[in-house]
Amino acid sequence: MTDRFIPPGFDVMKFAAVDVRQAASAADIVYEALRKAIIEGDLAEGENLRQDQIAQMFNISRIPVREALSRLEQHGLITTQRYKGAVVAGLSVEEIEEIFEFRALIEAEVIRLAVPNLDRQTLEKARRYCDAFDRETDPHRLGEINRNFHYSLYEASRRPYYLQNVRSSLDRIDRYLRAQLTFTNGVPRAGREHEAILAACEQGDAELASRLTRDHILDAGRSLMTFLREQRG
């Protein structure tokens, strides 16, 4: 990728930009770049997303930028404020707690539906993610691998609407979850819980996998709540 022009007076925002003039859907590319930067914490809570700057960085008009920002707002990742425009959305402790409760309900059901459909190839894929999680030290990679582990199992549920809602929920809390894993020594515990969930799946025990998944999510939520309350005073 060649160096991009940064207009005078603009600060460089922390997300990957590419020249998408020839792309089939510039809005999709801008959306994914901003979404990734938000969920990984590269764009901080409250940070202003200026349409003119984003358009310049991607070498496009403001129209696909507005479309991308509209989609991000629909998914709760940004908000529009008077006199300031689009900013990265934050979540209260209570909102995060509710999202974890929702995840525990839906993901427990998703994996219960998935277990009867799991084949050897899928279980081997999940095993690779499980092992990679235990070895990883990069917080950004940990979040990605954690999501890939769960999704590798959930996809066998054949419930695309459920998975869409799981993805949306994870997008909203992923940056907080990465902090919880990193700063509360949550990685070893999460790794052990992944092992137990995967073992239940390998045994074909759908009810046990469901119960373990629910407990795994609720435990992570409680740990994160404690961490956030301490951080926010």
Side-chain angles (χ1 to χ4, degrees):
M1 181 176 65
T2 58
D3 293 340
R4 60 183 182 274
F5 171 70
I6 305 298
F10 283 155
D11 295 326
V12 178
M13 288 192 285
K14 296 179 181 178
F15 58 85
V18 295
D19 186 338
V20 296
R21 286 174 296 180
Q22 306 303 318
S25 178
D28 286 346
I29 293 176
V30 175
Y31 169 79
E32 286 298 334
L34 293 174
R35 170 184 165 273
K36 185 174 186 293
I38 291 170
I39 67 176
E40 292 184 354
D42 292 329
L43 289 173
E45 181 179 320
E47 187 164 347
N48 187 220
L49 303 178
R50 297 173 57 180
Q51 291 187 28
D52 50 355
Q53 181 179 0
I54 296 168
Q56 287 278 4
M57 293 178 73
F58 284 88
N59 201 16
I60 55 175
S61 73
R62 294 190 188 185
I63 295 173
V65 175
R66 284 197 294 268
E67 181 182 335
L69 293 177
S70 177
R71 289 170 60 188
L72 290 166
E73 187 166 22
Q74 290 171 12
H75 287 88
L77 294 177
I78 69 170
T79 59
T80 301
Q81 299 180 2
R82 182 179 291 185
Y83 308 124
K84 194 171 183 181
V87 299
V88 177
L91 291 172
S92 68
V93 171
E94 291 74 21
E95 288 171 324
I96 296 171
E97 186 172 27
E98 183 178 356
I99 291 172
F100 270 93
E101 291 169 351
F102 172 78
R103 284 188 57 214
L105 289 170
I106 194 170
E107 291 181 44
E109 177 64 9
V110 167
I111 201 165
R112 187 184 68 79
L113 293 168
V115 169
N117 302 321
L118 293 172
D119 55 24
R120 178 185 294 181
Q121 183 177 4
T122 301
L123 290 169
E124 289 175 351
K125 182 179 180 181
R127 168 56 62 188
R128 289 194 294 272
Y129 285 130
C130 188
D131 293 343
F133 183 87
D134 291 338
R135 296 191 302 268
E136 190 56 62
T137 57
D138 183 340
H140 286 77
R141 287 284 298 147
L142 276 170
E144 179 183 352
I145 296 168
N146 178 67
R147 182 183 292 219
N148 288 341
F149 167 73
H150 289 288
Y151 259 77
S152 66
L153 298 170
Y154 294 167
E155 286 174 346
S157 68
R158 303 170 187 169
R159 296 296 191 279
Y161 183 75
Y162 284 16
L163 294 179
Q164 178 184 340
N165 281 277
V166 171
R167 182 176 189 259
S168 178
S169 297
L170 284 170
D171 281 354
R172 296 194 69 189
I173 62 169
D174 216 350
R175 60 199 132 140
Y176 303 103
L177 187 56
R178 291 165 194 259
Q180 180 263 332
L181 287 171
T182 304
F183 297 116
T184 66
N185 197 31
V187 175
R189 180 172 184 173
R192 292 192 297 271
E193 292 172 354
H194 288 167
E195 288 282 355
I197 292 168
L198 182 54
C201 291
E202 291 170 338
Q203 295 163 12
D205 192 333
E207 296 305 322
L208 177 59
S210 176
R211 186 169 69 253
L212 290 171
T213 297
R214 179 180 180 276
D215 291 347
H216 171 62
I217 294 168
L218 291 177
D219 286 346
R222 282 189 287 267
S223 177
L224 178 58
M225 294 307 102
T226 300
F227 171 73
L228 289 177
R229 289 188 175 106
E230 291 174 351
Q231 292 297 307
R232 297 180 180 186

